[in-house]
Amino acid sequence: MRKISICDGWSFIENITDEFFNFTGEGTAVRLPHTCKEVPVHYMEESSCQMICGYRRHLEIPETLKGRRLFLQFDGAAHVAEIFVNDEKVMTHNGGYTAFRVEVTDKLVYGAENRIVVRLNTREDANVPPFGHVIDYMTYGGLYREAWLLLADQSYVEDVFVRTPDMNHALIDVTISQPDTNHTLELYLLDKQKKVVGQKSLKVSGASITNCSIAVSNSHAWSPETPYLYTLVAMLKNHNEDIIDEYNVSVGFRQAVFRSDGFYLNGKKYKIRGVNRHQSYPHVGYAMPASMQIEDVRILKEELHVNAVRTSHYPQSKHFLAACDRMGLLVFTETPGWQHIKNDEEWKQIVCENVEEMILQYRNHPSIILWGVRVNESQDDDVLYSKTNEIARRLDQSRQTSGVRFLWRSSLLEDVYAFNDFSHTGKNGALLPRWLISPNKKKAYLIAEFNGHMFPTKATDTPTHRLSHAIRHANVLNEVYKREDIAGAFGWCMFDYQTHGDFGSGDRICYHGIMDMYRNHKLATKVYASFSEETPVLEVGSDMHIGDYPGGSVGENYIFTNADSVRLYKNERMIREFMPVNNKYRYLPHPPIEFYDTVGNVIEEGEKYSHKKAEAIKECLLAIQRFGTALPPKYIFKAMWVMLRHLVSPVTFYKLFFKYIENWGVSAPVYRFEAIKNGQVVAEVTKASNANIHLDTTVSGTTLTEVNTFDVASVRIRVVDANNNNATYSHLPIFLKAEGAIEIVGPDCVTAEGGMCGTYVKTTGIVGDGTLTITSNQTEPIQLRFSVKIEGSGISEWN
Ligand code: GAL
């Protein structure tokens, strides 16, 4: 089957009219992926995306295509799409999160222009999941993924499903449309170098071929560490040996099994460590092309160093899944929905259709290890969920099922009890006991969400709050790693997201992310990043500015690192080398280092005290700094004992506190931290007061390539101080100007929040160079250069 992009050449109208439908009224020229409404980041009006809008396009079909079969395919149309070809309705599709295809062979006029119209209902229509009650995320609208014209012979390979029951066999099911017994089906398994490592040839005898086995010796296993992909090619040949269709599928040899004691990948126990991801972006909601989907996988893998992601609460872009296959991320995906099940058979039927579409469309992705066949956090409905489980098990015998609950001991028709454990308050135990929650100890137990609304955290929150956010993630992860009976956990969530007015802060954002909406890092990302064994991580839980804290005391503080140790220098004087040994976090491979001592042996040397005396005094002084007026009695007694034992007066205590601890009335110190790995300094962080701010950018890529549609690059922008720390309080307007072959997605002025913001640039169908100039009134400007290439697409492919 040939896929021809029809992402270009659409005309759009917000409220569809007869004139628009008839191609007489005007529309706006758009390209897909498209959002029905660009929205502001804060205070988005949720009704602004709700409309019955129209998309239309001419489609010229050459005479030469007569005799072939043609289809239209939409990869994502939020939320109810009616497709018209030459004024005739050819299909209605319910649900915005799965692709759909319709055959239009007999509806098209050959050698002429055809009229394609999509009447798209983006409203929160109570008749279609996830709608009917409140939902904690914005659902946007539009033809927000790609669209295709598909071209096939009379007989073609409709579907291929490859399983790997063991490391030496691929089991293949093939479905052939209009099978012809004169045809042969050839199956080839290719390795990474495109070398054939297994093959089979079969006479076509019917529409379905099942359990066709190809033996492979010494196959390379697929895992997050080694995401080795093979390609299965299914070739349909006619009696003359001409290829009449070819279908390619990526294959990963892996066995993924959840058992009562955890998750096993290729026979090895494996702790799942992930985050939840919504598919939204600032300004354009869901409508981002392949490069941005792939960039999110790269961020998960290379910046957050997780090994898994949950696509909450719906199936996400094929580009995202394909990148998870390539880069090695385990995926838990699920049917669309949020808490609500409508008491209505048609609504439930759409849930079943969604499950079926999800499995048929995604079951070849080796990255997917579990199907969510319940509406997230819905009540038990054994009738409905018996059906969804049956669909999943019938369509895919290679994967287990689950469904995410907040319910304790709910009816468990699935293989895995997935639970959203929001019990952690920062002080208590990090997770509830499994026996309390799961009704069946023989089945696996997975934490599908934690933290989230329990501790919303903005980049503009106080440093104490931001540190607490990070520590809560560490607390839960430590517990997950401690408990052998937990298969793994997904933190809520990857980045802040827009939501309905019933949730979130008043500005319709849930600040639950470990990153902000532009994917800028909050401190909590360092807890995840510290799992990395390759990329050095070093961050300090405080910028060490006394004015940020009551009484000038930083209080509780941590260093996040994956190094062997961290050295602290105060005004270039070595204070102490901290080791990441922490009893509390001993289950984490690289625990956060609790850190209070900014004094080292300075008192001993400065005052010429004995080591014992200096250490005893230091302990009391640091406790005073840490706890302030809430000093625990233990330290009050200790201080009294030290005064008596070492003959130190309260006045001396007081003086020493201000001289060595409080830094009040002295020049602000410069703190420098060095992360040491294998004896080498691998990372450095300096915290010092300075007003020398400048702009810093992280760009996803400067070469943009139009393949099937426009391309986008993300530009993460930070205002930083002289030491590259976020200048947290620089709430500066940042002005953006695009020139040449690119344009800005969203507004041309954004505001730094907690020193962070961002933008996106997109191609315009023009080859050449483009520049993005970023300015603010308080910094030097930055200019980024992009080059734009076009690598063929569209209908011209036929000629
Ligand atoms: C969960 C829900 C998520 C999100 C989260 C916030 O209950 O499944 O979608 O709302 O709470 O913490």
Side-chain angles (χ1 to χ4, degrees):
M1 201 175 236
R2 194 129 166 241
K3 257 177 122 181
I4 295 143
S5 166
I6 50 167
C7 290
D8 283 350
W10 292 89
S11 183
F12 170 74
I13 193 163
E14 281 196 10
N15 293 300
I16 194 164
T17 56
D18 288 348
E19 291 74 36
F20 181 85
F21 194 96
N22 297 332
F23 283 69
T24 50
E26 292 288 296
T28 312
V30 299
R31 306 172 81 187
L32 312 185
H34 178 255
T35 182
C36 66
K37 192 82 179 178
E38 271 197 23
V39 291
V41 168
H42 298 279
Y43 299 97
M44 162 189 177
E45 180 46 69
E46 54 193 66
S47 64
S48 66
C49 283
Q50 309 229 352
M51 55 185 77
I52 298 198
C53 60
Y55 289 85
R56 70 173 188 213
R57 156 196 225 288
H58 286 290
L59 189 59
E60 169 126 18
I61 304 290
E63 189 76 48
T64 48
L65 290 184
K66 237 183 195 158
R68 315 289 306 270
R69 292 176 69 186
L70 288 95
F71 304 78
L72 294 176
Q73 179 174 311
F74 294 86
D75 287 349
H79 291 273
V80 177
E82 294 165 277
I83 313 297
F84 298 84
V85 174
N86 297 325
D87 302 336
E88 185 186 340
K89 180 145 129 190
V90 293
M91 182 179 202
T92 301
H93 184 260
N94 293 308
Y97 299 95
T98 43
F100 57 93
R101 179 188 285 186
V102 56
E103 180 156 10
V104 289
T105 313
D106 300 334
K107 312 287 175 194
L108 292 169
V109 189
Y110 295 78
E113 258 187 357
N114 292 269
R115 305 196 319 186
I116 314 292
V117 177
V118 181
R119 189 169 177 274
L120 187 66
N121 179 356
T122 70
R123 291 181 183 157
E124 303 192 352
D125 183 332
N127 297 316
V128 179
F131 305 118
H133 193 53
V134 295
I135 304 173
D136 174 24
Y137 50 93
M138 204 50 84
T139 50
Y140 305 102
L143 293 182
Y144 73 91
R145 293 180 186 152
E146 287 92 335
W148 311 92
L149 176 70
L150 308 176
L151 193 53
D153 237 304
Q154 289 306 310
S155 180
Y156 69 94
V157 179
E158 199 174 321
D159 186 47
V160 176
F161 176 35
V162 186
R163 287 158 289 150
T164 55
D166 57 50
M167 298 311 281
N168 304 317
H169 294 90
L171 268 191
I172 301 146
D173 298 345
V174 183
T175 312
I176 297 173
S177 177
Q178 295 184 15
D180 182 330
T181 48
N182 291 319
H183 290 171
T184 47
L185 178 74
E186 293 179 3
L187 302 174
Y188 298 94
L189 190 67
L190 314 180
D191 68 8
K192 232 178 184 162
Q193 283 74 39
K194 301 282 170 249
K195 200 177 115 223
V196 177
V197 293
Q199 69 186 84
K200 199 144 236 181
S201 181
L202 305 159
K203 272 261 153 253
V204 172
S205 57
S208 50
I209 293 157
T210 50
N211 293 331
C212 175
S213 166
I214 291 188
V216 197
S217 48
N218 302 322
S219 69
H220 298 271
W222 184 97
S223 72
E225 295 73 33
T226 56
Y228 194 100
L229 290 180
Y230 291 81
T231 309
L232 188 282
V233 181
M235 242 178 223
L236 198 57
K237 288 189 173 170
N238 66 12
H239 60 285
N240 289 330
E241 289 280 293
D242 302 325
I243 302 170
I244 56 169
D245 197 16
E246 189 182 308
Y247 194 114
N248 289 3
V249 174
S250 286
V251 179
F253 276 84
R254 98 281 178 280
Q255 290 83 49
V257 189
F258 287 85
R259 302 203 184 113
S260 77
D261 68 333
F263 174 65
Y264 288 79
L265 187 69
N266 307 326
K268 210 179 90 194
K269 196 161 177 188
Y270 210 91
K271 194 64 96 175
I272 292 170
R273 177 183 76 255
V275 284
N276 284 272
R277 176 198 187 238
H278 270 301
Q279 61 175 10
S280 51
Y281 295 83
H283 317 300
V284 290
Y286 290 162
M288 277 293 191
S291 53
M292 288 300 95
Q293 310 290 337
I294 297 166
E295 173 66 0
D296 267 2
V297 180
R298 194 200 60 73
I299 291 172
L300 286 161
K301 205 49 207 178
E302 294 176 7
E303 297 184 11
L304 305 182
H305 295 281
V306 292
N307 59 27
V309 60
R310 171 172 171 234
T311 65
S312 49
H313 297 297
Y314 36 76
Q316 302 187 358
S317 161
K318 290 287 267 180
H319 301 298
F320 182 82
L321 271 302
C324 291
D325 295 343
R326 284 195 304 274
M327 293 189 228
L329 262 192
L330 305 168
V331 181
F332 175 17
T333 194
E334 65 191 357
T335 193
W338 203 82
Q339 294 193 347
H340 165 74
I341 303 175
K342 189 176 178 195
N343 190 12
D344 168 74
E345 284 318 306
E346 280 176 32
W347 196 96
K348 294 183 185 182
Q349 181 50 34
I350 301 175
V351 172
C352 293
E353 283 164 21
N354 280 334
V355 169
E356 179 163 337
E357 288 175 351
M358 167 176 83
I359 294 176
L360 288 176
Q361 292 171 20
Y362 291 81
R363 61 186 176 171
N364 277 313
H365 290 284
S367 53
I368 296 179
I369 51 163
L370 193 61
W371 298 122
V373 299
R374 289 171 65 111
V375 165
N376 170 64
E377 292 192 331
S378 55
Q379 296 298 314
D380 288 339
D381 183 334
D382 281 4
V383 176
L384 172 62
Y385 292 140
S386 299
K387 285 189 195 151
T388 57
N389 272 288
E390 183 280 319
I391 293 168
R393 290 174 178 140
R394 175 166 45 80
L395 297 177
D396 181 5
Q397 306 78 38
S398 75
R399 284 184 187 85
Q400 292 163 302
T401 61
S402 187
V404 172
R405 301 146 157 89
F406 59 55
L407 301 174
W408 295 20
R409 302 185 89 78
S410 92
S411 173
L412 182 53
L413 304 170
E414 299 79 27
D415 306 298
V416 178
Y417 200 96
F419 180 62
N420 289 346
D421 189 329
F422 288 111
S423 59
H424 187 47
T425 59
K427 297 271 176 252
N428 57 353
L431 291 170
L432 294 168
R434 166 183 159 147
W435 59 262
L436 193 65
I437 308 300
S438 171
N440 187 337
K441 60 175 192 259
K442 295 208 178 91
K443 291 190 177 179
Y445 187 63
L446 177 68
I447 305 297
E449 296 176 31
F450 61 87
N451 283 357
H453 65 277
M454 295 304 290
F455 207 69
T457 301
K458 303 174 185 70
T460 50
D461 276 328
T462 64
T464 310
H465 188 101
R466 284 182 276 130
L467 175 62
S468 224
H469 181 228
I471 284 302
R472 283 162 188 249
H473 279 270
N475 291 344
V476 178
L477 286 174
N478 186 55
E479 186 69 13
V480 171
Y481 272 72
K482 171 177 158 194
R483 283 184 25 194
E484 286 290 325
D485 61 348
I486 297 179
F490 296 88
W492 188 268
C493 57
M494 182 177 173
F495 45 80
D496 299 340
Y497 55 95
Q498 287 181 313
T499 189
H500 289 82
D502 318 295
F503 302 90
S505 302
D507 61 351
R508 303 211 160 130
I509 296 179
C510 269
Y511 292 94
H512 299 171
I514 58 171
M515 301 191 288
D516 70 11
M517 277 168 72
Y518 291 98
R519 285 53 167 170
N520 290 304
H521 291 209
K522 299 181 195 170
L523 183 64
T525 56
K526 305 303 172 225
V527 173
Y528 290 84
S530 294
F531 279 84
S532 167
E533 295 300 341
E534 298 93 41
T535 322
V537 176
L538 176 64
E539 188 50 282
V540 181
S542 164
D543 283 335
M544 313 293 289
H545 302 310
I546 54 173
D548 255 348
Y549 298 91
S553 296
V554 172
E556 188 182 35
N557 201 359
Y558 284 86
I559 300 169
F560 300 91
T561 187
N562 54 0
D564 299 334
S565 63
V566 175
R567 288 189 198 133
L568 166 63
Y569 298 81
K570 187 174 174 182
N571 295 331
E572 282 313 311
R573 176 184 185 151
M574 163 85 167
I575 296 291
R576 193 168 151 178
E577 184 157 358
F578 296 94
M579 311 305 284
V581 192
N582 187 324
N583 230 13
K584 190 170 157 206
Y585 293 111
R586 67 179 175 280
Y587 299 99
L588 298 180
H590 300 289
I593 305 174
E594 208 166 358
F595 133 77
Y596 302 107
D597 187 358
T598 51
V599 178
N601 61 359
V602 177
I603 300 182
E604 184 180 337
E605 288 179 8
E607 304 299 318
K608 306 272 180 289
Y609 288 166
S610 72
H611 180 68
K612 216 169 169 187
K613 178 175 173 182
E615 284 299 303
I617 293 173
K618 181 173 86 178
E619 192 188 341
C620 298
L621 297 182
L622 288 173
I624 294 168
Q625 184 201 35
R626 188 169 150 202
F627 299 108
T629 49
L631 191 67
K634 167 178 146 185
Y635 291 105
I636 300 178
F637 292 124
K638 173 118 197 190
M640 284 161 59
W641 185 83
V642 170
M643 284 189 228
L644 289 173
R645 168 78 179 73
H646 296 289
L647 300 175
V648 186
S649 72
V651 176
T652 310
F653 242 92
Y654 178 81
K655 279 190 186 151
L656 293 174
F657 183 75
F658 282 98
K659 185 166 172 191
Y660 294 105
I661 308 276
E662 193 65 1
N663 303 313
W664 187 262
V666 298
S667 302
V670 176
Y671 295 98
R672 194 165 62 77
F673 301 81
E674 287 178 349
I676 314 291
K677 187 122 196 171
N678 302 324
Q680 306 286 323
V681 177
V682 290
E684 212 180 282
V685 163
T686 299
K687 302 284 182 186
S689 175
N690 67 79
N692 181 5
I693 59 171
H694 60 278
L695 296 173
D696 177 71
T697 55
T698 308
V699 187
S700 60
T702 51
T703 304
L704 297 179
T705 312
E706 291 208 355
V707 183
N708 293 307
T709 184
F710 63 90
D711 196 8
V712 169
S714 65
V715 182
R716 289 182 273 178
I717 305 170
R718 291 190 310 143
V719 186
V720 292
D721 68 12
N723 298 308
N724 254 0
N725 298 301
N726 280 0
T728 321
Y729 308 111
S730 62
H731 310 297
L732 285 175
I734 307 286
F735 305 100
L736 310 162
K737 188 170 166 210
E739 286 162 295
I742 54 164
E743 62 187 36
I744 293 163
V745 176
D748 58 6
C749 177
V750 287
T751 313
E753 296 169 25
M756 307 189 290
C757 58
T759 188
Y760 297 86
V761 293
K762 70 191 277 200
T763 59
T764 58
I766 298 168
V767 175
D769 294 333
T771 49
L772 176 70
T773 310
I774 309 171
T775 50
S776 89
N777 291 342
Q778 231 180 305
T779 63
E780 290 294 313
I782 280 196
Q783 203 162 63
L784 301 171
R785 287 178 208 291
F786 296 86
S787 67
V788 179
K789 294 193 289 183
I790 296 189
E791 285 184 358
S793 74
I795 266 162
S796 58
E797 269 191 40
W798 291 351
N799 303 324

